Amino acid sequence: MVNCGEECTRVTVPERVCIDGVIYTVTRIGKEAFKSSPFLQHIVLPPTLTSIGKGAFEGCSRLQELNLPQGVTEIGALAFHRCEALNSITMPSQLECVEKYIFYECHSLDFVAIPRGVREIGEGAFAGCSSLDSVRVPEGVESIGESAFSGCSSFDGITLPRSVQTIGRYAFFGCESLDKMAIPEGVNHICEGTFGRCKSLHTLTLPKGLKRLDEWSFWAIPSLTDVFCQAVEPPALHGDVFDKNIATLHVPAASVEAYKKSKWGKAFRKVRK
């Protein structure tokens, strides 16, 4: 761990270091290398860097911005946890996974563009990023982890690509500014609490291949007015999924009666084509 004292506000990591007369190329920032350096505000990383370890900058509460070299292919879990002043970051194009809790509780972070090569957004990756108002999720992302965006209370828009197949429990829980959502066709199961307490959500589109919705997946959403479910067969509802009798359910014309006779009919104010 690097000891960044009170006078250490700016750090430049060199491309090479000399130890005992031997020159080494710097390719990795180690685990918890700058953890809890409260006075660190700016850091310059070398273009030779390929890896950033778990918790490397965790708790650097005054770190404001960071440009990650394009050669970085791996960033460990919790790498920027509680970097509360961090408001912008450029993520490298070769990254394949946004690890769990990587930006957890980065309260000033307001925009993130996820690189095209990413396949997975890990558990709690952006949880508690209360200033985050938009995220660009590229085609190719297949999995969004548990609580990945929970508590992103300024979050007012996101488009999920067709490649998404799984969305974890509580992934968007408490995204209070999110006003509409379309679930991609590849998703067949919506987990517990996924969109609970999204208090501004008024329009929801569910895919044709949806088979199951778990308890509280759309609970505590008083603003919800219209749900468009494209599934011909009513998906299974496990527990209390929706607030009862506050929204209109729109389904395929041939399926209206089937939905009315199922649990869906009891959950919605009106069922229509």
Side-chain angles (χ1 to χ4, degrees), residues 54 59 70 81 90 92 94-95 154 170 186 193 195 197 217 225 259:
K54 179 179 179 181
Q70 287 302 305
H81 173 217
T90 302
Q94 296 187 57
L95 202 64
S154 298
Y170 299 98
F195 294 93
R197 294 189 181 176
S217 49
T225 57
Y259 275 88

Side-chain angles (χ1 to χ4, degrees), residues 96-102 114 118-126 135-138 141-149 158 160-161 164 166 168 172:
E96 294 185 359
C97 177
V98 179
E99 289 285 354
K100 62 183 181 179
Y101 299 106
I102 187 172
I114 297 171
V118 168
R119 296 291 177 263
E120 177 183 358
I121 299 173
E123 177 181 340
F126 299 96
V135 171
R136 189 180 303 139
V137 180
V141 170
E142 298 172 355
S143 174
I144 297 175
E146 180 175 335
S147 301
F149 296 97
I158 185 169
L160 299 181
V164 171
T166 61
F172 295 92

Side-chain angles (χ1 to χ4, degrees), residues 14-194:
E15 291 186 34
R16 295 174 180 84
V17 294
C18 183
I19 302 174
D20 297 330
V22 180
I23 296 176
Y24 297 90
T25 299
V26 176
T27 61
R28 176 176 172 81
I29 302 294
K31 177 181 178 182
E32 300 180 354
F34 293 92
K35 182 178 180 179
S36 299
S37 298
F39 300 100
L40 183 62
Q41 297 179 28
H42 303 279
I43 187 163
V44 178
L45 301 175
T48 54
L49 202 65
T50 61
S51 174
I52 296 173
K54 179 179 179 181
F57 299 95
E58 183 176 6
C60 293
S61 56
R62 297 188 186 182
L63 186 63
Q64 297 174 7
E65 58 181 301
L66 188 62
N67 288 322
L68 299 178
Q70 287 302 305
V72 172
T73 59
E74 179 185 5
I75 303 174
L78 297 162
F80 304 101
H81 173 217
R82 286 191 295 106
C83 290
E84 297 174 356
L86 186 65
N87 55 41
S88 86
I89 189 164
T90 302
M91 299 179 73
S93 59
Q94 296 187 57
L95 202 64
E96 294 185 359
C97 177
V98 179
E99 289 285 354
K100 62 183 181 179
Y101 299 106
I102 187 172
F103 297 108
Y104 180 36
E105 295 181 323
C106 290
H107 299 303
S108 298
L109 192 65
D110 58 13
F111 174 76
V112 172
I114 297 171
R116 288 185 178 274
V118 168
R119 296 291 177 263
E120 177 183 358
I121 299 173
E123 177 181 340
F126 299 96
C129 293
S130 54
S131 296
L132 191 63
D133 56 18
S134 65
V135 171
R136 189 180 303 139
V137 180
E139 189 68 37
V141 170
E142 298 172 355
S143 174
I144 297 175
E146 180 175 335
S147 301
F149 296 97
S150 67
C152 293
S153 54
S154 298
F155 208 33
D156 59 6
I158 185 169
T159 300
L160 299 181
R162 292 173 297 176
S163 56
V164 171
Q165 297 178 22
T166 61
I167 303 174
R169 298 189 319 148
Y170 299 98
F172 295 92
F173 185 85
C175 291
E176 297 180 353
S177 300
L178 190 65
D179 59 1
K180 56 183 178 295
M181 173 56 63
I183 309 297
E185 188 55 49
V187 176
N188 59 29
H189 177 199
I190 298 177
C191 299
E192 176 185 334
T194 302

